Amino acid sequence: MQVKTFEAVSMKQALQLVREQLGPRAVIVSSRSVRRDGGLFGLLGRKVLEVTAAVDEPAKEEPVSVKGALTPNLPPSRPRGTGVYHDIWAVKQAVDPLLDEIREIREKVTALDERATSEPVEARSDLAQIRTLLAALVGSGALVPDSDGPAVQRLFYFLVGRGIDEPLARSLVQRIVARVDPGALGDLDRLKLNLAGEMRNDLGRAERGGLPSRVQIFAGPTGVGKTTTIAKLAARAARSSPNGVLVITTDVHRVAAAEQMIRFGEMLSVPVEVAISPTDLSRAIAQARNREHIFVDTTGKSPRDTGGLRALGSLVEAAGEAELLLVLSATTRSSDSREILEAYRGLPYSRLILSKLDETRVYGELYNCVVRSGRPIACVTSGQAVPEHLESLDVAGILRKVLHG
Ligand SMILES: Nc1nc2c(ncn2[C@@H]2O[C@H](COP(=O)(O)OP(=O)(O)OP(=O)(O)O)[C@@H](O)[C@H]2O)c(=O)[nH]1
Ligand SMILES: [Mg+2]
């Protein structure tokens, strides 16, 4: 028996070599993959197929065609003296290395498949983790407004630039970061798409306190436009109800304050009464049973004037069934308006009026005041003209102003 080992790049080539050198009766005894030209610890070597073949007669130098490469090692007729077992053994020897190759390929495909499906999942969970971390960072106060920074910082910068109070802006960014698709975290436009919805929800939570009343009291810090706003509202009410309107001013502390209101009354043909105390106010309201609209002006109160704010509380109580409206200027610095709302917290105001929108290009205070107070905006003013420069603003209108100016 002649036994010989061949090296080839493929089984096809090996079979060809076997047939050329040992003849068509040769059978494969074994085959395995080996590495040649070892490289680094043999890891980088070239992979070749090592095939050992045997033939039980001297090799003939027969020219053999390579056609039908898979079967040429099978004897064309049963080898002498070996029987059917030899045939099976020969087939097995030919097929085994092919099975090895198939197994190897299958393993590679499976590995590729796993990578293909596992990578997006991993990537997704990485992004989700980043999002959670980012939301926590934003909430922890680590966020700074930056016009050139990552999208999240630019969003914060945008909000602060629109006049949104920093803690409220941070809360908005944090909620958006926690909600958006992780893929949107780096995209300012996509983050902004979520902004309006988030702000709309915040504004929508504001509720009018108390019941609508024919008596409305206007309070607020000094100089915010209480008297002027009352003049505008009284003039409009008088249009539809010429004899149904009364203005009562309780501002007898500031020099010429009552005179200012009386002058407006003369201009607008609206009667104006002066009440110098809570009892006086109570009496004046009681006597005006036939009036549909009663507007009550008050002295401006600084948020630090605790005594004055207490006196205002007594006045509101004396008025009985009345709606208290808090007038604030849209031009007030955010930190100051925070202090004002804190100071007025003890008073039962049901809605806000934001004045002097014409004196600013930044309307964040509309959002700030509603969210901080939890009260909606009854109307806004945007100029000194009476009765013009007064309009109502719904949530969509507030959003438009705040986000787009
Ligand atoms: N630009 C502008 N000025 C306004 C607006 N509303 C009121 N004013 C002006 O603001 C100044 C103060 O207005 P008042 O109505 O007297 O304010 P007030 O809150 O009654 O002030 P006190 O009674 O002193 O607390 C006046 O010069 C008004 O003309 C407004 O919407 N825009
Ligand atoms: Mg006034």
Side-chain angles (χ1 to χ4, degrees):
M1 176 180 284
Q2 192 183 351
V3 178
K4 196 165 179 183
T5 300
F6 302 87
E7 277 187 8
V9 292
S10 67
M11 179 53 76
K12 185 176 170 183
Q13 192 192 26
L15 293 175
Q16 191 175 346
L17 288 170
V18 169
R19 290 186 66 187
E20 280 170 9
Q21 296 187 30
L22 297 181
R25 290 174 187 280
V27 291
I28 307 288
V29 178
S30 71
S31 74
R32 63 185 180 119
S33 287
V34 292
R35 287 197 182 271
R36 289 288 176 254
D37 307 321
L40 187 66
F41 304 114
L43 293 174
L44 304 176
R46 186 167 50 92
K47 217 172 169 187
V48 295
L49 192 61
E50 189 187 85
V51 175
T52 302
V55 67
D56 52 4
E57 60 185 25
K60 280 185 198 158
E61 291 303 316
E62 286 175 24
V64 180
S65 158
V66 291
K67 275 187 191 163
L70 266 180
T71 52
N73 57 331
L74 295 179
S77 59
R78 188 189 302 166
R80 272 180 289 133
T82 51
V84 70
Y85 294 110
H86 182 272
D87 281 354
I88 292 169
W89 180 77
V91 170
K92 187 174 179 312
Q93 292 308 304
V95 168
D96 271 356
L98 294 175
L99 286 176
D100 281 348
E101 266 188 58
I102 290 170
R103 208 171 292 126
E104 212 174 302
I105 291 167
R106 189 179 289 154
E107 275 166 15
K108 280 182 184 163
V109 170
T110 310
L112 276 176
D113 224 28
E114 272 170 10
R115 214 182 310 155
T117 52
S118 71
E119 260 175 7
V121 171
E122 279 167 23
R124 266 201 301 276
S125 75
D126 281 354
L127 279 172
Q129 269 185 330
I130 288 170
R131 182 172 65 174
T132 310
L133 274 172
L134 205 54
L137 267 176
V138 170
S140 74
L143 186 71
V144 287
D146 184 350
S147 59
D148 294 322
V152 169
Q153 280 185 329
R154 278 183 285 144
L155 179 67
F156 189 42
Y157 176 83
F158 168 77
L159 287 169
V160 173
R162 301 304 308 167
I164 306 292
D165 196 17
E166 280 205 20
L168 298 179
R170 189 168 287 116
S171 158
L172 274 168
V173 176
Q174 188 184 21
R175 281 178 281 148
I176 290 168
V177 165
R179 178 162 302 181
V180 294
D181 185 282
L185 287 174
D187 187 334
L188 180 62
D189 290 333
R190 285 179 70 189
L191 291 177
K192 271 191 187 175
L193 282 180
N194 292 272
L195 194 55
E198 207 62 50
M199 292 175 84
R200 193 178 299 116
N201 288 345
D202 291 344
L203 293 168
R205 274 192 284 275
E207 276 181 36
R208 180 180 179 165
L211 295 170
S213 168
R214 70 188 180 105
V215 183
Q216 292 182 315
I217 307 174
F218 296 74
T222 56
V224 290
K226 299 177 291 298
T227 304
T228 312
T229 303
I230 288 173
K232 292 173 184 177
L233 287 164
R236 288 174 185 224
R239 276 187 202 151
S240 55
S241 178
N243 297 314
V245 180
L246 173 69
V247 173
I248 304 173
T249 180
T250 60
D251 190 1
V252 287
H253 303 285
R254 185 170 63 78
V255 174
E259 283 76 3
Q260 182 194 7
M261 193 73 259
I262 291 165
R263 284 284 302 132
F264 270 132
E266 285 168 2
M267 257 172 57
L268 306 167
S269 305
V270 170
V272 176
E273 287 186 18
V274 179
I276 56 166
S277 66
T279 320
D280 221 12
L281 175 64
S282 176
R283 179 197 45 78
I285 291 172
Q287 283 175 355
R289 257 176 242 104
N290 58 338
R291 306 281 183 178
E292 260 178 78
H293 302 285
I294 300 175
F295 300 98
V296 179
D297 197 6
T298 63
T299 311
K301 303 286 184 208
S302 143
R304 296 179 192 173
D305 179 6
T306 44
L309 286 168
R310 254 198 313 277
L312 186 59
S314 308
L315 202 66
V316 173
E317 258 181 52
E321 269 184 28
E323 178 182 12
L324 180 64
L325 291 120
L326 180 59
V327 185
L328 302 165
S329 168
T331 63
T332 306
R333 231 183 356 192
S334 169
S335 55
D336 292 339
S337 83
R338 202 183 312 158
E339 187 187 353
I340 293 166
L341 285 171
E342 196 54 44
Y344 277 79
R345 188 193 281 272
L347 290 164
Y349 63 89
S350 61
R351 287 186 290 169
L352 306 172
I353 293 175
L354 268 287
S355 67
K356 306 193 180 184
L357 264 64
D358 57 308
E359 290 191 358
T360 179
R361 290 180 194 283
V362 171
Y363 305 101
E365 271 308 290
L366 296 174
Y367 172 85
N368 295 341
C369 292
V370 171
V371 174
R372 285 200 211 107
S373 67
R375 297 292 185 223
I377 291 176
C379 63
V380 296
T381 72
S382 51
Q384 293 174 291
V386 176
E388 299 84 8
H389 296 158
L390 178 111
E391 59 177 312
S392 58
L393 210 55
D394 60 8
V395 166
I398 296 173
L399 273 178
R400 242 191 330 273
K401 276 259 178 229
V402 175
L403 295 177
H404 309 293

